[in-house]
Amino acid sequence: VLIDPERLWSSIMEMAEVGGIPGGGCRRLSLSPEDGAGRDLFSRWCREAGCTVEVDCFGNMFAIRRGRAQPDRLVMTGSHLDTQPVGGRFDGIYGVMAGLEVMRTLNDLDLETACSVAVVNWTNEEGARFSAAQTGSKGFVGQVSLEQAYQLRGVDGVSFGEALDGIGYAGNRGPRPEQLVCYVEAHIEQGPVLEAARKTLGIVESAQAARWYQVDVNGETRHAGTTPAKRRRDAYMAAAAFAVQSRRHLLDMDPGIRFTIGRVELGTNAPNTVPGQASFTIDLRFPGDQVLDRAETVLRDVLSGIDRQEGTRSQLQTTHVVPMVGFDAALTTEIETLAGSNAMRLSSGAMHDACAIAAVAPTAMIFVPSRDGVSHHQDEWLEPRDAASGADLLFRVVEKKANPVL
Amino acid sequence: VLIDPERLWSSIMEMAEVGGIPGGGCRRLSLSPEDGAGRDLFSRWCREAGCTVEVDCFGNMFAIRRGRAQPDRLVMTGSHLDTQPVGGRFDGIYGVMAGLEVMRTLNDLDLETACSVAVVNWTNEEGARFSAAQTGSKGFVGQVSLEQAYQLRGVDGVSFGEALDGIGYAGNRGPRPEQLVCYVEAHIEQGPVLEAARKTLGIVESAQAARWYQVDVNGETRHAGTTPAKRRRDAYMAAAAFAVQSRRHLLDMDPGIRFTIGRVELGTNAPNTVPGQASFTIDLRFPGDQVLDRAETVLRDVLSGIDRQEGTRSQLQTTHVVPMVGFDAALTTEIETLAGSNAMRLSSGAMHDACAIAAVAPTAMIFVPSRDGVSHHQDEWLEPRDAASGADLLFRVVEKKANPVL
């Protein structure tokens, strides 16, 4: 490998100490003092690597290594340094540190590039403090306005704008989207697919489409002791039958569909009462909007059937729709070729800053394995050798894209 | 009919005004000022009917009409005047008012009885304020000690003993269990069985056995977007599959089994997280302990199968066991004969004061229909003609039992 695996790893570990929590995790909520300290450290490392650091009005940080021939054209990489309240050491951080390692390696090899290279730290990717995820990257591409962002209110009551001022990261400089040659983000998978396939590198073709639904089931609240089975309209039994039947039908349709009932609430929720009301959420994801259209039809059909069978009346409402994001096909193929046999194509289950940037520039992502698929948890883990493989691929991609064949 | 239907109905309606709530319901929590006012009204009516009123140390009220030949022998009827927080006008009240109507009818007909007749108002049947149901009747038969009862703490923090003193119903007189010839309690069914069968009178053979279980399912908390179906250990899907499979197997075993999952809690309960933990309660009832033994085996087998299938680890713990209470067979048959063709045998789905008294004296119950099976709700309803039929049967039973053929 061309990059320095130990330098990369020690930077990740040093960053993890900023806002470190017991068990090896991190708590660097966006624009908190800990985030400020993490940003200061990143900024210092970038300047030490000879980069100029620009901060825009969303607090996005761009460390720029100036290109020789086309300095206004940028090959950009990066991710985010903010974490979940009980987060891991790699989610987001890996992509920023891998980008920094690319810079350092370019320096080690004394390589000049034709275009400039930038490493970005996007603000508030997690949406854990300010409940709108990917604020910085969406702001960069114009999907979120400055006014919308500044008015976001944190769970602690502080606004995004106040918090940005508070840590001194409200800037007024930074590149424009038109300058991007491409954007390539490295990230941990946060899922078990690479590990299960024994692959080190994931070439991310797309980010799944996602739909959220709220289902409300109405039955009859009754005495558990006195109401015979055939006289019940049990909202929870209807909800449970819906879960079982829907999963079977959806996985028959396509085993790749991700179907989750993550929140369940019963109206009375008392042991000796037949539930008259049950409400639950559905999180449905697949890399393809048409399959989700068909999946939604299945869900509605199953629900109607259950209403007939159980004597309930149910409503299914769509609460959130995220269309699929397809990454740049040519760029993805280029990366795949550079990656070699240790890579596989896959779709991202989670949303990333790259999903926003894909709207304005050729964009791709590189995944590295998450042990046991764990993320958003202090047990999140990335093997050092896999961290090195991903950063090395990123180096080769960035170096190639920043030196276009003319 | 021998009783006076309008007098019975107007007494029920007048009692309903004490602690009346919007929509026609009642709130007379045990030993509250409203309960005190209801007791005072009942006491006045009983004294006006020529009864002596005794109050024991549990606050149980006994209105006694002295018998001619064997005054120390008592034929007892009654129920309770306390209600749920949002209760109806009939649950408990009906049995006490029907007993009062029996007294008044004995007076109308100028009938003396050989044994004494007593109408009882048991304290804290509901267990809604002091969370131990049937306190008065269990105290009477020695299943609850005076010390245990007095230390019960209400949801408002006041002890049973303090509340009893507060409304002036801590007495020291009352009959002893040995004096009972028999105890017959009239009550609304609180279920839909009589209505569905178009019967006016229920001859209650038994009160169902009941078992409560707590089930804890452990899976893996995972990201809903990144975790493929085959890699999930979804605790809620396991819980849902358990509900569906258990219901099918139990109702195949016996359609009379009452199986309720009334409380469900998920560990994370977030829409975009595969639930790693699910906990739920099971309320299982049947008029027969052996069937419940077999049902419990079914539940454990289903749970093991689901753990294997879903990759979860589950525990099923018994939290509460109520054995079946069989009422007196001879007395039940006598009542059935008096009731005629408009009656049917059934088992009580709920617990009643009669379940406690059955331990010390020949005991039986008479049910009258609840409209749509609704109880513990302001919509609870008993048709006036059904109220009259039940009280008339009660009159004939009490009159017969109080004049034994020697």
Side-chain angles (χ1 to χ4, degrees), chain A residues 203 332-341 393 396 400:
Chain A
I203 312 302
T332 299
T333 303
E334 265 185 279
I335 298 174
E336 192 180 19
T337 306
L338 289 170
S341 64
L393 176 59
R396 287 179 288 135
K400 183 177 179 212

Side-chain angles (χ1 to χ4, degrees), chain A residues 135-305:
Chain A
T135 309
S137 49
K138 286 179 177 166
F140 179 74
V141 302
Q143 289 173 7
V144 168
S145 73
L146 191 61
E147 197 178 5
Q148 286 172 321
Y150 274 45
Q151 287 175 354
L152 286 173
R153 194 59 66 176
V155 290
D156 48 12
V158 179
S159 78
F160 185 96
E162 292 161 355
L164 197 55
D165 281 335
I167 61 166
Y169 275 89
N172 55 10
R173 291 186 64 199
R176 284 165 290 107
E178 311 86 83
Q179 294 178 248
L180 296 189
V181 173
C182 63
Y183 175 73
V184 182
E185 180 170 348
H187 205 284
I188 57 167
E189 181 200 336
Q190 304 181 275
V193 174
L194 290 174
E195 188 183 64
R198 298 178 186 278
K199 296 288 184 185
T200 301
L201 298 164
I203 312 302
V204 188
E205 298 176 308
S206 60
Q208 295 187 116
R211 299 195 190 169
W212 281 17
Y213 305 94
Q214 170 74 28
V215 182
D216 297 298
V217 184
N218 283 286
E220 281 179 353
T221 304
R222 286 291 181 272
H223 192 298
T226 62
T227 313
K230 65 175 188 296
R231 287 297 305 258
R232 296 183 178 206
R233 298 168 187 270
D234 183 329
Y236 177 63
M237 286 303 311
F242 174 84
V244 171
Q245 291 181 29
S246 295
R247 180 173 67 167
R248 190 170 60 236
H249 287 301
L250 294 175
L251 297 184
D252 280 353
M253 180 193 293
D254 194 310
I257 292 177
R258 287 168 193 172
F259 167 68
T260 307
I261 294 177
R263 179 182 287 162
V264 178
E265 309 281 356
L266 303 189
T268 37
N269 218 30
N272 58 351
T273 301
V274 179
Q277 279 83 38
S279 297
F280 57 90
T281 58
I282 300 172
D283 177 310
L284 195 63
R285 308 200 197 193
F286 190 78
D289 295 303
Q290 291 76 12
V291 169
L292 287 193
D293 288 342
R294 287 165 51 209
E296 183 174 322
T297 303
V298 165
L299 294 181
R300 292 188 185 279
D301 289 349
V302 167
L303 198 59
S304 306

Side-chain angles (χ1 to χ4, degrees), chain A residues 307-327:
Chain A
D307 274 350
R308 281 192 299 275
Q309 178 187 311
E310 302 285 339
T312 43
R313 281 165 293 109
S314 302
Q315 283 200 306
L316 181 146
Q317 285 184 293
T318 305
T319 53
H320 197 48
V321 173
V322 180
M324 186 176 81
V325 174
F327 292 130

